[in-house]
Amino acid sequence: MTQYVYYFGDGVADGDASMKALLGGKGANLAEMVRIGLPVPAGFTLTTEVCTYYYANNRTFPQELKQQVLEALRRVERVMGAEFGSSNNPLLFSCRSGARESMPGMMDTVLNIGLNDTTVEALAKQTGNERSAWDSYRRFVQMYGDVVLELKPKDKTEGDPFEVALEHKREKEGVKEDSQLSVKALKELVTEFKQLIKTRAGKDFPTDPMEQVWGAIGAVFGSWMNDRAIVYRRTYGIPHEWGTAANVQAMVFGNLGDDCATGVGLTRDCALGTPGFCGDYLINAQGEDVVAGIRTPKRIEETLSKDMPAAFAQLNDIGKKLEKHYKEVQDIEFTIQRNKVYMLQTRNAKRTGFAAVRIAVDLVNEGLISETEALQKRRIPADDLSQLLQPIFDPAGKKAATSEGRFLAKGINAGPGAASGVICLFADEAEAFHEKNPNVDIVLVRKETSPEDLRGMKAAKGILTATGGASSHAALVSRQMGKACIVGCSAIDVDYTTKTVKVAGKTLKDGDFISMDGFSGEVFEGQVQTKASEVIQVLVNKTMKPEESETYRRYAQLMGWVDKYRKLRVRTNADTPGQADEAVAFGAEGIGLCRTEHMFFDHLDEIRHMIVAETKETREEALAKLLPFQRADFAGLFRSMNGRPVTIRLLDPPLHEFLSDRHLEEQPDLAQKLAKWTGLSLDAVKRRVGELHEANPMLGHRGCRLGIVYPEITAMQARAIFEAAVQVKKEGINVVPEVMVPLAGFVTEFKNQEKIIRATAESVFSQTGVTLEYLVGTMIEVPRAAIRADQIAKDAEFFSFGTNDLTQTTLAISRDDYGPFIGFYRENDIIPNDPFQTIDQEGVGDVMRIGVERGRSSRKDLKIGICGEHGGDPASVMFCHDIGLNYVSCSPRRVPIARLAAAQQALASK
Ligand code: PEP
Ligand code: MG
């Protein structure tokens, strides 16, 4: 018989931490905590297989589940010495979701299951606290109504109906906090809530505890498929098939009085990574109050040692024990009942890129983990390194904003980073605005953070809320996404109906600019000047010394380990000496792609002259004018790269990008000028330009097809490359040019171009009396080139996968205008990723694999790289490692990310 239910409690557990796939992260870690002797209330986990069954069988449960749940429930009753549904000694349960990978706040939870009009009285007697019993009851009816019976606000401007009723009650009683409500008020609320359920959901609130627990279990499994959970999984690549587990656990109470509390903690800070236990707690409150972001809690590190010294000491001990056991920063949930701590959850903490680097490096320096462990992908997702390179607010800019009276307020700094953007108050509007104006930054401003806002958070650059603590679910999620985040900024008053934010005596409107410093928690009106991150100040701008920046020093230590373990080389795509210098500062080991058209765009007159020319002589005349510019550009690149290999690609884009009817219309004197330069009639010029028009320019006269039809272009570019190389070599700098032919599919195309390149090299060498080593290779950007790589590699000395074009040509999806349907494809899980960002491994990836195998079958040591955009995407870099490429090439700022991803894969595949 399949075991669907796993028990834990009283020092024994059926499961352990290794069983996350079956028990979910929460279930597996509850079992593990029981095993290592931490105080955990007894309970049981319904496995992810139950969830899979539930969805495969029309939302029903396996037959044997009922009996297994009943047996586990009786076992918990025995251990806890109380009885579920008893009218004199009642036991209550919570029911929480828990997937294999944590999805903070995306799924549902129900607390205080088992309460009804009878058991509430028994609970009051048993705890000697009538108020807390009724407080628990009103919470239960509220949660059950919200989660199980799905009673939600009617529209986005209406508040949560239960919270509205609560607010009225607080006003009526003249109190500020829920914890100050009288027993009478709580009793009235229970009746009102039940009535709300009856009128809005058309059902009676169930009084049978067994019915309640099954209702909660169904809701938890049902929440696996709610919209925010689906969006979250899509964002983080979590398969929909995994399913969630459900954990049913005996309740302990944080709301029995002032010696009780509920809280969430981190074994060290996860915004900046600073050491020391920290977190949020609320005295005399229950579970969800802290994480739901509705109230602003107190800080553990600031006040808990005074409020509850014994519990504070116990928490610190537990934190140390957990870090030692898991060798990782933990994010915990706990309840303090009568000064004693109970653990409800532990998991590896989500953190920002800043914190990820600091924590990993600190854990190595503290001797808790090794260098190779520090580099694990789950500790530092390679993409998150980019946060260390983002601009920060310039202190001078903040000072100026303050003296101009633009300082607005200060909240809790929950996610570092600088964000200036337009105010958006609703998640759906932020998403829609972002789609229309992708270049305008948004700051999502809300009363409270709620995981429902996930889509809007993704679209925003920063998130600012009036309530909530640093551990609220939304703060966790925004940190993981690398957004600047400020919560608990109580000075702001958000009004959803008038779409305004009142703060510091001012009224800001939806669409106004606001700036937020996620490092300090400060909020400013309008925009604030930014400056480069510390890493960039040290490495690129050289305006800071390494010893002045702790952030830089940890970055450097980490990158030292990265370079020790990676096998892939990392180059950069750079067209100018400035870009090349920056890339070298980030660790680039060469140029993998110099797109020479960049240089052509700076000399449009000459290139247009060349295009319009009808005879070889006039074309050569124009090319002769371009030659010195190209030569100077290449010499600059060779100098910057100082002996490192430089791959220069011959001209690629379709000629009409330089000259088309549109250009003639926009510049009325252009046709005249061209006629004068070439000696052609005006009509001949216009006809020539008309001939350039193509229906599918991406599949048209571009790439090596240009150099084949106009060999003078290739000859001029080759001459510029070799003359520059000779010149720089004469200056005493080693030069290794690699000349690359674009878009070849037939070996004959490659050979045609190779012949011109080599002949030009020989001519330059004999004219100058200087020779040097060079390579001639090709891009692999059309499937035919990969399929016939065996033929091409006989002549080509290196390959570089141009995966932008290879994706376009393999999938027959235009890279220029796939936007309208790719979003729909992603939303509907037709494809898992945008194939122009992450290599489609099964399709394009297999074409690459064929290219590598067949290429090396002809030339064993063929050097192979990639220079499409994918060269800076961590998942694609890892794939390139797996198929045995020699290097990846990416834009300068992606270089550190590619280095880290390469090391991570080298270690993972050891
Ligand atoms: C490619 O196609 O991947 C490539 C690098 O070339 P481009 O983007 O210039 O077409
Ligand atoms: Mg290309």
PDB file of all heavy atoms in Angstrom, residues 649 652 702 743 779 781 805 815, ligand 2:
ATOM      1  N   ARG A 649      34.462  39.864 -36.854  1.00  0.00           N
ATOM      2  CA  ARG A 649      33.554  39.293 -37.841  1.00  0.00           C
ATOM      3  C   ARG A 649      33.397  40.240 -39.027  1.00  0.00           C
ATOM      4  O   ARG A 649      33.247  41.453 -38.834  1.00  0.00           O
ATOM      5  CB  ARG A 649      32.181  39.056 -37.197  1.00  0.00           C
ATOM      6  CG  ARG A 649      31.220  38.443 -38.184  1.00  0.00           C
ATOM      7  CD  ARG A 649      29.861  38.268 -37.594  1.00  0.00           C
ATOM      8  NE  ARG A 649      29.189  39.538 -37.394  1.00  0.00           N
ATOM      9  CZ  ARG A 649      28.005  39.656 -36.808  1.00  0.00           C
ATOM     10  NH1 ARG A 649      27.403  38.591 -36.332  1.00  0.00           N
ATOM     11  NH2 ARG A 649      27.436  40.827 -36.678  1.00  0.00           N
ATOM     12  N   ASP A 652      28.035  42.024 -41.668  1.00  0.00           N
ATOM     13  CA  ASP A 652      26.909  41.094 -41.653  1.00  0.00           C
ATOM     14  C   ASP A 652      25.542  41.675 -42.038  1.00  0.00           C
ATOM     15  O   ASP A 652      24.780  41.028 -42.741  1.00  0.00           O
ATOM     16  CB  ASP A 652      26.840  40.441 -40.261  1.00  0.00           C
ATOM     17  CG  ASP A 652      25.707  39.431 -40.153  1.00  0.00           C
ATOM     18  OD1 ASP A 652      25.149  39.059 -41.200  1.00  0.00           O
ATOM     19  OD2 ASP A 652      25.398  38.995 -39.047  1.00  0.00           O
ATOM     20  N   ARG A 702      22.744  39.191 -46.749  1.00  0.00           N
ATOM     21  CA  ARG A 702      23.540  39.615 -45.602  1.00  0.00           C
ATOM     22  C   ARG A 702      24.602  38.558 -45.328  1.00  0.00           C
ATOM     23  O   ARG A 702      24.707  37.577 -46.030  1.00  0.00           O
ATOM     24  CB  ARG A 702      22.654  39.828 -44.368  1.00  0.00           C
ATOM     25  CG  ARG A 702      21.872  38.596 -43.967  1.00  0.00           C
ATOM     26  CD  ARG A 702      21.078  38.814 -42.692  1.00  0.00           C
ATOM     27  NE  ARG A 702      21.940  38.758 -41.526  1.00  0.00           N
ATOM     28  CZ  ARG A 702      21.681  38.036 -40.426  1.00  0.00           C
ATOM     29  NH1 ARG A 702      20.585  37.316 -40.357  1.00  0.00           N
ATOM     30  NH2 ARG A 702      22.505  38.030 -39.410  1.00  0.00           N
ATOM     31  N   LEU A 743      27.443  33.744 -41.174  1.00  0.00           N
ATOM     32  CA  LEU A 743      26.269  33.171 -41.837  1.00  0.00           C
ATOM     33  C   LEU A 743      26.558  32.157 -42.953  1.00  0.00           C
ATOM     34  O   LEU A 743      25.710  31.921 -43.811  1.00  0.00           O
ATOM     35  CB  LEU A 743      25.387  34.310 -42.394  1.00  0.00           C
ATOM     36  CG  LEU A 743      23.875  34.108 -42.282  1.00  0.00           C
ATOM     37  CD1 LEU A 743      23.400  34.278 -40.854  1.00  0.00           C
ATOM     38  CD2 LEU A 743      23.146  35.107 -43.168  1.00  0.00           C
ATOM     39  N   MET A 779      31.263  31.592 -38.244  1.00  0.00           N
ATOM     40  CA  MET A 779      30.135  31.487 -37.333  1.00  0.00           C
ATOM     41  C   MET A 779      29.295  30.307 -37.789  1.00  0.00           C
ATOM     42  O   MET A 779      29.246  29.994 -38.973  1.00  0.00           O
ATOM     43  CB  MET A 779      29.296  32.756 -37.379  1.00  0.00           C
ATOM     44  CG  MET A 779      30.059  33.936 -36.863  1.00  0.00           C
ATOM     45  SD  MET A 779      29.017  35.320 -36.456  1.00  0.00           S
ATOM     46  CE  MET A 779      28.065  34.731 -35.102  1.00  0.00           C
ATOM     47  N   GLU A 781      25.579  29.644 -37.767  1.00  0.00           N
ATOM     48  CA  GLU A 781      24.322  30.340 -37.481  1.00  0.00           C
ATOM     49  C   GLU A 781      23.147  29.813 -38.290  1.00  0.00           C
ATOM     50  O   GLU A 781      22.037  30.317 -38.181  1.00  0.00           O
ATOM     51  CB  GLU A 781      24.407  31.836 -37.773  1.00  0.00           C
ATOM     52  CG  GLU A 781      25.729  32.462 -37.560  1.00  0.00           C
ATOM     53  CD  GLU A 781      25.700  33.959 -37.747  1.00  0.00           C
ATOM     54  OE1 GLU A 781      25.034  34.661 -36.988  1.00  0.00           O
ATOM     55  OE2 GLU A 781      26.385  34.430 -38.667  1.00  0.00           O
ATOM     56  N   ASP A 805      20.973  33.972 -34.574  1.00  0.00           N
ATOM     57  CA  ASP A 805      20.502  33.534 -35.888  1.00  0.00           C
ATOM     58  C   ASP A 805      20.197  32.044 -35.908  1.00  0.00           C
ATOM     59  O   ASP A 805      19.253  31.616 -36.558  1.00  0.00           O
ATOM     60  CB  ASP A 805      21.549  33.867 -36.959  1.00  0.00           C
ATOM     61  CG  ASP A 805      21.374  35.292 -37.460  1.00  0.00           C
ATOM     62  OD1 ASP A 805      20.234  35.651 -37.793  1.00  0.00           O
ATOM     63  OD2 ASP A 805      22.367  36.046 -37.490  1.00  0.00           O
ATOM     64  N   ARG A 815      13.674  36.785 -35.116  1.00  0.00           N
ATOM     65  CA  ARG A 815      14.196  37.374 -33.877  1.00  0.00           C
ATOM     66  C   ARG A 815      13.753  38.815 -33.734  1.00  0.00           C
ATOM     67  O   ARG A 815      13.841  39.389 -32.654  1.00  0.00           O
ATOM     68  CB  ARG A 815      15.726  37.273 -33.849  1.00  0.00           C
ATOM     69  CG  ARG A 815      16.388  37.949 -35.008  1.00  0.00           C
ATOM     70  CD  ARG A 815      17.846  37.558 -35.135  1.00  0.00           C
ATOM     71  NE  ARG A 815      18.728  38.473 -34.432  1.00  0.00           N
ATOM     72  CZ  ARG A 815      20.050  38.497 -34.605  1.00  0.00           C
ATOM     73  NH1 ARG A 815      20.621  37.641 -35.446  1.00  0.00           N
ATOM     74  NH2 ARG A 815      20.791  39.342 -33.954  1.00  0.00           N
TER      75      ARG A 815
HETATM   76 MG    MG B   2      24.109  36.445 -36.578  1.00  0.00          MG
END
